[in-house]
């Protein structure tokens, strides 16, 4: 079990006290990995009961299993650097974090979703790739890569245009939304409109708890990128948006392989 992935998965459903405990653990994982529950609770500034509730929330039997899984995570991610990595330890750590994230994408679920999306791209007359802010760069990336395969994709990457898009959506459209958080307030009207028409809706997100995820015809949940900090005790997050670009490149290559004459 990847304990950090479990925390990310259940974080949105945690109570305030559970989130405080989860944040404290991610800031210094070594405490829970090595200390008994009473000492760990005191160090984190939470109650022992909260730590037990957090463990249960994560699907664990209790604090002992939480400590065990955290210790396993630290052991697995403390990689003995190669001679080359020792010469540039910071870069080695960052690159290894991306490699770890990419390995999480090697699943039947991701491959099946990529295959579904490639099929939808091939079968639709009008395709819109939607993304706000930095997520819009992934939409633009897909547009230009697929243009080289003879497929035109319209992009909608402005907040005002996204608000005005729903009435313009047509039956048999393919709508691909790139969004790290998949915030309901940003895309609510698109989801509502897509459900009323014969529109294929694909969601590419990093939020496995997004309420709208289950409404998507094609679901792609990508990993966030994180690594141990320089003291190898806590978690530091890294800008994960390049993961979108890797997914887009893989999708484009898959499409070309399956439809070479498209």
């Amino acid at each position: 079990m990847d304990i950090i992935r479990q925390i990310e998965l259940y974080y949105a459903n945690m109570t305030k006290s559970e989130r405080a405990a989860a944040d404290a653990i991610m800031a210094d994982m070594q405490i829970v990995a090595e200390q008994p529950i009473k000492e760990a609770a005191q160090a984190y500034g939470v109650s022992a009961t909260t730590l037990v509730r957090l463990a249960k929330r994560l699907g664990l039997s209790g604090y002992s299993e939480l400590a065990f899984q955290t210790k396993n995570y630290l052991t697995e991610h403390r990689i003995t650097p190669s001679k080359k990595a020792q010469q540039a330890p910071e870069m080695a750590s960052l690159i290894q974090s991306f490699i770890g994230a990419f390995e999480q994408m090697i699943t039947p679920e991701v491959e099946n979703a990529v295959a579904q999306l490639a099929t939808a791209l091939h079968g639709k007359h009008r395709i819109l790739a939607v993304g706000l802010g930095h997520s819009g760069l992934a939409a633009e990336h897909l547009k230009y890569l697929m243009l080289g395969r003879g497929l035109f994709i319209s992009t909608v990457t402005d907040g005002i245009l996204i608000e005005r898009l729903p009435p313009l959506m047509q039956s048999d459209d393919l709508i691909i939304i790139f969004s790290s958080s998949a915030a309901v307030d940003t895309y609510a009207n698109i989801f509502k409109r897509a459900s009323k028409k014969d529109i294929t809706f694909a969601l590419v997100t990093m939020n496995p708890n997004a309420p709208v995820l289950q409404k998507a015809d094609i679901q792609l949940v990508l990993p966030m990128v994180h690594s141990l900090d320089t003291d190898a005790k806590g978690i530091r997050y890294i800008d994960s948006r390049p993961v979108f670009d890797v997914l887009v490149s893989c999708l484009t290559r898959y499409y070309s392989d399956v439809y070479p004459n498209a």
Side-chain angles (χ1 to χ4, degrees):
M1 174 189 288
D2 185 332
I3 192 64
I4 298 302
R5 183 64 174 166
Q6 285 296 104
I7 290 174
E8 291 172 349
L9 182 63
Y10 291 100
Y11 193 84
N13 296 323
M14 292 179 186
T15 64
K16 185 177 180 180
S17 59
E18 288 169 354
R19 288 186 185 183
D23 291 340
I25 288 172
M26 288 192 290
D28 191 342
M29 300 175 71
Q30 201 156 341
I31 292 174
V32 71
E34 297 179 352
Q35 298 294 328
I37 186 169
K38 184 177 179 181
E39 286 78 359
Q42 185 175 5
Y44 289 140
V46 300
S47 69
T49 303
T50 296
L51 290 178
V52 173
R53 285 203 308 266
L54 175 61
K56 299 282 189 180
R57 175 79 68 182
L58 301 177
L60 306 175
S61 59
Y63 179 80
S64 295
E65 190 176 1
L66 174 62
F68 176 77
Q69 293 294 347
T70 304
K71 188 173 184 178
N72 274 356
Y73 182 93
L74 290 172
T75 301
E76 291 174 4
H77 288 76
R78 283 172 178 156
I79 301 170
T80 302
S82 64
K83 184 175 181 180
K84 185 176 183 179
Q86 289 175 354
Q87 297 172 353
E90 182 62 18
M91 283 301 298
S93 173
L94 294 172
I95 295 300
Q96 189 61 48
S97 299
F98 277 101
I99 292 173
F102 296 147
E103 287 180 342
Q104 291 181 49
M105 295 168 64
I106 307 174
T107 67
E109 292 78 15
V110 171
E111 182 162 331
N112 290 338
V114 168
Q116 285 181 287
L117 192 48
T119 300
L121 285 167
H122 185 66
K124 297 293 183 179
H125 294 294
R126 195 171 80 143
I127 305 164
L128 293 90
V130 182
L132 188 61
H134 283 85
S135 297
L137 296 177
E140 294 288 350
H141 188 195
L142 178 63
K143 171 183 177 178
Y144 286 105
L145 286 184
M146 294 307 297
L147 197 60
R149 274 73 179 175
L151 188 66
F152 180 75
I153 297 176
S154 299
T155 52
V156 184
T157 57
D158 178 83
I160 295 176
L161 295 179
I162 290 175
E163 288 180 8
R164 298 183 180 181
L165 176 61
L168 304 177
M169 292 162 56
Q170 303 171 5
S171 295
D172 206 39
D173 279 349
L174 169 61
I175 310 294
I176 307 170
I177 292 181
F178 294 91
S179 175
S180 295
S181 62
V184 175
D185 56 346
T186 303
Y187 299 107
N189 290 331
I190 293 179
F191 304 144
K192 184 177 179 180
R193 193 76 172 203
S195 65
K196 291 184 177 181
K197 291 193 172 186
D198 185 20
I199 295 171
T200 300
F201 165 43
L203 177 60
V204 185
T205 183
M206 292 178 178
N207 181 7
N209 296 308
V212 296
L213 188 61
Q214 298 305 317
K215 299 179 182 180
D217 301 293
I218 302 172
Q219 307 168 9
L220 267 163
V221 180
L222 303 181
M224 296 185 72
V225 183
H226 51 69
S227 70
L228 293 177
D229 58 23
T230 52
D231 295 327
K233 295 192 302 182
I235 293 296
R236 58 178 179 174
Y237 283 93
I238 304 167
D239 187 347
S240 300
R241 284 166 291 206
V243 176
F244 280 126
D245 292 318
V246 171
L247 183 279
V248 167
S249 295
C250 291
L251 171 62
T252 307
R253 181 67 264 170
Y254 186 95
Y255 180 89
S256 299
D257 291 343
V258 176
Y259 304 106
N261 299 318

